[in-house]
Amino acid sequence: MTSILQLVVMAVGLMLAMVLGYAALSGPSASKESGRRLQSVRFRHSDKAVDKVEAQYRKTVAARKPSTMKLAGSGSRMEALALRLHRTGKGWTLTQYLYVSGGLALGITMLVYLKTGAPVMALAAGLLVGAGLPHFIVGWAINKRIDNFVSRLPDALDLLVRGLRSGLPVTETLGVVAGELPGPVGEEFKLVTDRIKVGKTMEDALQDTADRLNLPEFNFFCITLAIQRETGGNLAETLANLSDVLRKRAQMKLKIKAMSSESKASAYIVGALPFIVFALIYMINPGYLGKFFIDDRLIIAGVGGLTWLGIGAFIMAKMVSFEI
């Protein structure tokens, strides 16, 4: 038992050393920082029109109201979870989520304990399923709504362009988009117009939606409106160009998805194969793998295998993940 504890301590220490080494070596690059400073100086003193526009863009982005919320959406765990549930668009409440998670955790814990007789393994399985499955479902619903929003956002911009060219002000065209387009695009623009009606400025209303959605496409739209208010110009033409850029961006994402689909399928198969084989062997001969739940050495070996499997899955996910 002492040797097992020593192995566990050594493994934990090795993992901590790896994490600290990664944190130490992944700091900001000095060459990139000097390049950014030289670029800012060039933008500040250049007489070219392109550099002036770029300088105005950076100034506008820096002058926008900074987000006081974290990426998850809030400063507390419960508020961040409530925001995630709101982003699904399903009307799920925090109480419902907690009840479902607790019920799943309790049910899986009792089922695994009755089947294996291992309380630690049953508790771990219950916590994993109770916390992981609802989180996965909420994330899937959020991604589905975001994909729907991004696919319909160029149509909303085209509608804005037609409204502006017909002589309507920006706030009126936002109301037209909220009333004409169904789905998450209409819902989000409806929230923007409601905030404007109760006294908020258009920039603040759009900023609230941008902070909640956390989408680059909607941030592009907000920055475009902010730059147009600073520099002037033809807003309809700018939004038309932005709509074309967003459509090309969506096409590029689809091309990357098609090119990386084979690698992703291979990663899913390789990652799921150990669990499938373990489940099939356990169903055929439970006594052969039953000691994995009661023997300390086999439990340590299983935890180590799961750790390295998780590291491999993380590396494969990074290899097939592309940013546009």
Side-chain angles (χ1 to χ4, degrees):
M1 187 65 183
T2 305
S3 60
I4 294 176
L5 292 176
Q6 291 176 352
L7 289 175
V8 173
V9 172
M10 291 176 61
V12 173
L14 181 60
M15 291 297 296
L16 289 176
M18 293 173 61
V19 171
L20 291 176
Y22 176 78
L25 297 176
S26 62
S29 174
S31 60
K32 291 183 179 180
E33 183 64 25
S34 62
R36 283 194 293 266
R37 291 181 179 178
L38 290 175
Q39 191 179 42
S40 64
V41 172
R42 179 173 63 85
F43 288 150
R44 191 180 305 120
H45 300 286
S46 177
D47 293 331
K48 295 181 180 179
V50 176
D51 293 338
K52 289 182 178 180
V53 172
E54 182 70 19
Q56 184 62 41
Y57 166 77
R58 293 175 180 273
K59 180 181 177 182
T60 303
V61 173
R64 294 176 71 208
K65 186 181 77 172
S67 175
T68 58
M69 297 180 290
K70 296 181 180 179
L71 183 61
S74 176
S76 68
R77 298 280 185 177
M78 290 294 104
E79 291 178 0
L81 181 57
L83 179 59
R84 277 177 53 85
L85 295 175
H86 177 71
R87 292 176 65 189
T88 61
K90 302 292 185 181
W92 297 335
T93 63
L94 185 60
T95 304
Q96 293 174 345
Y97 181 88
L98 295 177
Y99 277 140
V100 170
S101 298
L104 278 175
L106 182 60
I108 295 298
T109 300
M110 294 180 63
L111 182 63
V112 174
Y113 179 74
L114 293 176
K115 188 69 176 178
T116 63
V120 177
M121 184 62 65
L123 182 60
L127 292 177
L128 180 63
V129 176
L133 185 59
H135 182 81
F136 173 79
I137 294 175
V138 170
W140 174 81
I142 291 175
N143 292 332
K144 183 178 179 181
R145 188 171 187 265
I146 285 176
D147 292 340
N148 191 3
F149 181 90
V150 172
S151 64
R152 299 300 299 272
L153 184 58
D155 297 334
L157 296 181
D158 291 339
L159 190 57
L160 283 172
V161 170
R162 290 194 292 269
L164 291 172
R165 287 175 176 172
S166 65
L168 293 175
V170 180
T171 54
E172 291 293 333
T173 54
L174 292 176
V176 171
V177 172
E180 293 294 331
L181 290 181
V185 174
E187 295 172 0
E188 296 298 337
F189 276 87
K190 180 68 166 55
L191 292 176
V192 171
T193 55
D194 290 343
R195 294 190 189 98
I196 294 175
K197 289 178 182 178
V198 298
K200 276 195 172 184
T201 63
M202 186 179 68
E203 288 80 5
D204 291 339
L206 290 172
Q207 183 65 43
D208 291 341
T209 302
D211 291 338
R212 189 176 68 256
L213 293 177
N214 193 29
L215 291 177
E217 290 81 1
F218 195 81
N219 290 333
F220 293 158
F221 171 65
C222 297
I223 292 172
T224 299
L225 291 181
I227 292 176
Q228 193 274 338
R229 283 183 174 271
E230 291 286 338
T231 61
N234 191 346
L235 180 58
E237 187 67 24
T238 304
L239 292 179
N241 294 333
L242 178 61
S243 175
D244 182 62
V245 169
L246 293 183
R247 282 194 169 91
K248 291 180 179 179
R249 178 184 172 89
Q251 292 175 1
M252 182 61 67
K253 283 185 176 181
L254 292 176
K255 289 180 181 179
I256 291 176
K257 184 178 180 181
M259 294 175 65
S260 62
S261 59
E262 183 179 357
S263 301
K264 289 183 178 180
S266 300
Y268 292 149
I269 293 172
V270 171
L273 193 59
F275 300 99
I276 295 174
V277 173
F278 187 91
L280 291 176
I281 295 177
Y282 187 80
M283 291 173 61
I284 296 172
N285 188 0
Y288 181 73
L289 296 178
K291 292 184 178 180
F292 267 96
F293 304 108
I294 56 178
D295 193 297
D296 294 335
R297 295 170 296 178
L298 292 178
I299 291 176
I300 295 298
V303 171
L306 290 175
T307 302
W308 286 110
L309 184 63
I311 294 173
F314 175 77
I315 294 174
M316 289 189 291
K318 288 297 183 181
M319 291 175 63
V320 298
S321 177
F322 301 94
E323 293 292 336
I324 302 178

